[in-house]
Amino acid sequence: MPTVLKEASHTFNEYLLIPGYSSKECIPANVSLKTPLVKYKKGEQPALSMNIPMVSAIMQSVSGDKLAVALATEGGVAFIYGSQSIEAEAAMVARTKAYKAGFVVSDSNIRPDQTLKDIIELKELTGHSTVAVTEDGTAEGKLLGIVTGRDYRLSRMSLDQKVETFMTPLKKLVTAPEGTTLKEANDIIWDYKLNSLPIVGKDGKLRFFVFRKDYDEHKKNQNENLDSKKRFVVGAGINTRDYAERVPALVEAGADVLCIDSSEGFSEWQKMTLEFIREKYGDTVKVGAGNVVDAEGFRFLADCGADFIKVGIGGGSICITRETKGIGRGQASALLEVCKARDEYFEETGVYVPVCSDGGIVHDHHITLALAMGADFVMLGRYFARFDESPTSKVLINGNLMKEYWGEGSNRARNWQRYDLGGSAKLSFEEGVDSYVPYAGKLSDNVQRTLAKVRSTMCNCGALSIPELQKKAKLTLVSSVSIVEGGAHDVVLKTKQ
């Protein structure tokens, strides 16, 4: 007969936190969200940590290099998606590591023989009013001039007028040579009252822009997640098929941490992958594993040498693993059991293996619940897919701006390495859907708003750190009627415009 667990499988929505005593020191400004990213021994510090407990999902529609920079700026870590060629993934990692805060690679570029109409279309596409005019129309081409909103008037100019006739030419621009520091660049911007400063190489090719509007932004980013060389920390996804070729390329590109991307991690395939990395690199290469939903799965991966372990099967908004295969577990139940096993493992071995809660996050308060239940950080897909920095396009659906979002188990992603269980190189059936999510603007604005809620709730529980929250948290299961009571009810809501 099968083993049958007596307790029902619960989700985050079925729990609430009971407030605890809050001292006068319990204010959001005093809350620390610093958390370990990889395992460490008792009495030691982890080799990698984060300033906020958020990482991005290893997904085509979520984690490119642009989002990696934005998330590291806020203090988290993005995991570049692995369902692409080794060369393409390594290039994304390298671009993230090469990014200099304040130095922006131009994404609005045009040739001098193009027209005002092309300028207008480019502005509509990128939303940026500063356009670099380069010899070949690329971000790395020889700089010939720039076009801003001050260089043309639609009411007085023909749309087919050539860019070279109205651009501000290079000889009239203030530029700076490659190697200029951010402080020097900002000094030039203020001295010459510029809105932007092109950084140009000795070969005359455009390297970066430094913008006046970014000055205050860089000043306030105190949470940036940086390595010892002041570069952004970035992660990368790997699979259990081509790891012998992919891992060395990603390490060479500068990846700080890797993660095995799999819908179910309690397998010999993950053990083989971890053994390869440990034999080749020892403990110098950090790698997470998963996903699991019980103590047995956690123990297996911890003993195999995983640096962190992901929890969750079938709880993602685009995941249909539970529907198609009948495997998984409610995220709250899975997390509570695994985190208990994590603490027992720490007591027995003196090694603390961080737990990542992956999936099941619908509302911001679910993040706080996940942390209270024992998670060291959460992995988010749908959440980050909504932002400007995700790799997908904005589309207009029924009058509303949306962004495309699809699962790695969908036919669109065609990520057979994640799901094939060692079988043939194809997807036999889908475990994910293709969808849209409401467009939500900039990552920084949304992350700061979300974490403000997390800090506030932690203060309600009398906790100023994540470990303190886990120690003090009191959780209660709620009934379906209680859930209804918790929202707006018995009123007529005003229509939101």
Side-chain angles (χ1 to χ4, degrees):
M1 290 296 292
T3 299
V4 179
L5 302 183
K6 298 268 178 90
E7 184 186 343
S9 180
H10 296 293
T11 68
F12 291 133
N13 252 357
E14 295 175 82
Y15 284 91
L16 285 175
L17 281 159
I18 302 294
Y21 171 73
S22 300
S23 69
K24 63 181 181 181
E25 284 77 29
C26 279
I27 59 173
N30 291 339
V31 172
S32 168
L33 294 176
K34 194 174 180 69
T35 193
L37 177 58
V38 296
K39 69 182 179 185
Y40 60 92
K41 292 180 180 178
K42 197 171 190 176
E44 297 180 358
Q45 293 296 315
L48 290 171
S49 59
M50 299 184 291
N51 294 318
I52 64 171
M54 302 171 80
V55 301
S56 67
I58 310 167
M59 299 175 69
Q60 294 175 6
S61 54
V62 178
S63 296
D65 49 297
K66 190 174 180 182
L67 189 127
V69 167
L71 185 50
T73 299
E74 297 304 314
V77 172
F79 283 87
I80 302 295
Y81 67 90
S83 52
Q84 57 180 321
S85 71
I86 295 172
E87 295 76 18
E89 186 181 9
M92 282 190 175
V93 170
R95 285 198 296 272
T96 305
K97 299 303 289 185
Y99 183 88
K100 299 178 186 177
F103 292 85
V104 180
V105 176
S106 177
D107 66 352
S108 296
N109 309 286
I110 206 161
R111 297 190 315 275
D113 61 338
Q114 290 183 266
T115 65
L116 176 58
K117 181 183 178 184
D118 295 319
I119 290 283
I120 302 305
E121 290 176 350
L122 187 58
K123 183 179 178 181
E124 289 177 354
L125 179 65
T126 65
H128 299 148
S129 58
T130 299
V131 179
V133 184
T134 61
E135 205 167 53
D136 58 2
T138 69
E140 301 86 21
K142 187 173 182 180
L143 183 65
L144 303 178
I146 65 170
V147 174
T148 70
R150 293 177 296 183
D151 291 311
Y152 58 87
R153 292 183 69 178
L154 293 177
S155 60
R156 297 189 177 186
M157 295 171 63
S158 169
L159 289 178
D160 59 5
Q161 189 167 335
K162 299 288 187 184
V163 169
E164 60 193 356
T165 65
F166 61 86
M167 70 181 186
T168 301
L170 180 61
K171 62 182 179 181
K172 292 186 178 181
L173 293 177
V174 177
T175 64
E178 187 175 13
T180 300
T181 67
L182 184 58
K183 184 181 183 304
E184 291 168 342
N186 280 317
D187 287 343
I188 294 170
I189 285 174
W190 288 104
D191 289 344
Y192 287 90
K193 298 180 173 62
L194 306 174
N195 287 323
S196 64
L197 176 69
I199 307 296
V200 181
K202 289 182 180 179
D203 53 6
K205 293 184 177 181
L206 179 64
R207 297 290 190 264
F208 308 102
F209 272 110
V210 178
F211 292 97
R212 173 192 287 260
K213 65 180 175 62
D214 289 339
Y215 179 79
D216 291 334
E217 191 73 26
H218 300 307
K219 281 291 183 183
K220 71 182 182 183
N221 287 329
Q222 302 300 316
N223 268 343
E224 288 180 331
N225 201 4
L226 305 174
D227 65 15
S228 59
K229 297 180 180 177
K230 304 297 183 185
R231 302 173 302 179
F232 285 128
V233 172
V234 62
I238 60 173
N239 61 68
T240 58
R241 305 295 290 173
D242 63 8
Y243 53 84
E245 296 79 34
R246 191 174 293 268
V247 170
L250 296 174
V251 171
E252 177 68 24
D256 298 278
V257 58
L258 307 175
C259 185
I260 303 172
D261 183 28
S262 173
S263 64
E264 199 278 304
F266 194 179
S267 73
E268 189 174 1
W269 300 104
Q270 296 225 356
K271 181 180 180 181
M272 291 164 58
T273 305
L274 290 166
E275 284 176 345
F276 166 82
I277 293 172
R278 293 293 170 248
E279 288 171 7
K280 185 173 178 64
Y281 298 101
D283 288 328
T284 60
V285 170
K286 307 302 181 184
V287 55
N291 289 18
V292 297
V293 291
D294 64 4
E296 192 178 0
F298 172 87
R299 282 273 175 163
F300 172 78
L301 291 177
D303 289 339
C304 287
D307 284 291
F308 68 85
I309 292 172
K310 289 200 297 164
V311 175
I313 294 177
S317 59
I318 40 67
C319 183
I320 54 173
T321 294
R322 296 180 195 174
E323 291 181 26
T324 57
K325 296 173 71 173
I327 65 167
R329 194 178 190 184
Q331 189 67 8
S333 295
L335 193 57
L336 286 165
E337 180 175 329
V338 170
C339 290
K340 184 172 182 281
R342 184 265 322 276
D343 293 342
E344 291 171 352
Y345 190 84
F346 182 48
E347 286 298 316
E348 292 175 23
T349 66
V351 177
Y352 186 91
V353 183
V355 166
C356 169
S357 180
D358 178 18
I361 303 289
V362 179
H363 305 293
D364 288 346
H365 75 270
H366 289 169
I367 296 175
T368 319
L369 284 168
L371 298 175
M373 290 174 182
D376 296 279
F377 53 95
V378 297
M379 178 172 275
L380 304 163
R382 181 196 60 84
Y383 180 89
F384 288 118
R386 303 171 301 146
F387 304 149
D388 286 321
E389 294 84 357
S390 73
T392 62
S393 302
K394 286 190 294 236
V395 291
L396 199 62
I397 305 292
N398 297 327
N400 298 308
L401 269 179
M402 312 288 280
K403 291 207 79 176
E404 296 177 294
Y405 180 46
W406 59 91
E408 289 297 293
S410 67
N411 271 323
R412 181 169 184 175
R414 308 201 69 77
N415 187 0
W416 61 270
Q417 298 100 324
R418 189 178 200 266
Y419 295 91
D420 76 328
L421 297 176
S424 59
K426 66 183 180 66
L427 277 177
S428 300
F429 55 88
E430 289 187 289
E431 291 186 49
V433 299
D434 198 343
S435 63
Y436 299 103
V437 288
Y439 168 65
K442 289 175 60 177
L443 179 145
S444 61
D445 294 338
N446 286 275
V447 165
Q448 289 169 23
R449 187 182 307 114
T450 294
L451 294 180
K453 297 176 187 177
V454 173
R455 290 187 180 98
S456 180
T457 305
M458 287 173 65
C459 288
N460 293 142
C461 296
L464 293 176
S465 68
I466 293 172
E468 189 177 9
L469 173 67
Q470 292 165 351
K471 183 179 179 181
K472 292 184 174 180
K474 289 189 291 184
L475 293 158
T476 179
L477 277 165
V478 295
S479 67
S480 58
V481 180
S482 177
I483 293 172
V484 173
E485 179 188 62
H489 60 88
D490 300 310
V491 294
V492 178
L493 293 176
K494 294 181 179 178
T495 303
K496 291 183 179 180
Q497 298 299 324

